Amino acid sequence: RDWASTRRSLNGGMRFVPHYAVFRMPERDLGGLCTNSSAEFCAEDPDGVGPITGKMVLNEDVRQLCIHELYQVKGENLHRIGNTSNQVEYSRQYWDYVEKLLDSCPLDGHDAVGRFGNVCSKRLMKQVGIDIDLVKRCVTATGEQKLYQ
């Protein structure tokens, strides 16, 4: 979020690829940190004993990766690195979304509509012009693959 305005100013000259902290647990998931009981994909619980879980964080990570992928557009500037040419891509909707996420959907929100999670995410996606169904299809089709990256 704090980096969004800087990224906008670098739109034509920098390639950005989001990465998220995902880990594997040696045994089964005991505390809602993972996507399922196999404990293959896990994330830290950001609020301890609060209502947010690592699984919810992973779901949000995948949503963001899908938004970034689906809404990338090629910039006008072409950059040469060695013998290759790279055209910088930028996803305005991704940056609009992540910039507003923690203010619109804080970890300590009073209800699901105003707290970090799927319900609040859908409200925010609609607000910033993101097609919720398109993102949902991406999450369903590529979620596990994105967590491997």
Side-chain angles (χ1 to χ4, degrees):
R1 167 183 79 174
D2 296 334
W3 202 64
S5 63
T6 302
R7 173 60 179 105
R8 280 189 189 93
S9 68
L10 297 171
N11 182 22
M14 185 182 83
R15 182 169 183 253
F16 174 82
V17 179
H19 294 277
Y20 298 91
V22 178
F23 60 89
R24 181 184 182 106
M25 292 182 59
E27 297 184 23
R28 63 188 177 94
D29 179 20
L30 298 174
L33 299 178
C34 308
T35 56
N36 60 39
S37 61
S38 73
E40 186 171 11
F41 304 111
C42 307
E44 289 188 34
D45 183 332
D47 68 343
V49 297
I52 312 303
T53 65
K55 181 178 181 176
M56 292 169 73
V57 170
L58 292 166
N59 291 338
E60 179 60 37
D61 293 348
V62 173
R63 267 194 299 275
Q64 289 182 20
L65 289 167
C66 281
I67 292 166
H68 188 264
E69 176 183 294
L70 292 167
Y71 287 93
Q72 281 185 8
V73 293
K74 297 219 182 279
E76 295 177 13
N77 294 338
L78 193 65
H79 298 277
R80 291 213 173 275
I81 301 172
N83 292 330
T84 64
S85 295
N86 291 319
Q87 194 167 18
V88 175
E89 297 173 335
Y90 179 73
S91 175
R92 179 189 55 79
Q93 290 88 342
Y94 170 83
W95 288 104
D96 289 347
Y97 179 84
V98 298
E99 185 174 37
K100 294 175 181 167
L101 180 64
L102 291 180
D103 289 330
S104 297
C105 305
L107 298 178
D108 61 353
H110 297 294
D111 59 21
V113 174
R115 181 178 52 239
F116 183 92
N118 190 47
V119 174
C120 193
S121 172
K122 286 180 181 178
R123 179 180 55 80
L124 181 58
M125 284 191 283
K126 185 176 180 181
Q127 179 185 335
V128 299
I130 293 170
D131 183 326
I132 296 166
D133 291 330
L134 187 63
V135 172
K136 184 177 179 179
R137 285 193 298 273
C138 174
V139 167
T140 300
T142 66
E144 190 170 302
Q145 174 190 355
K146 285 179 174 22
L147 290 172
Y148 270 117
Q149 298 173 352

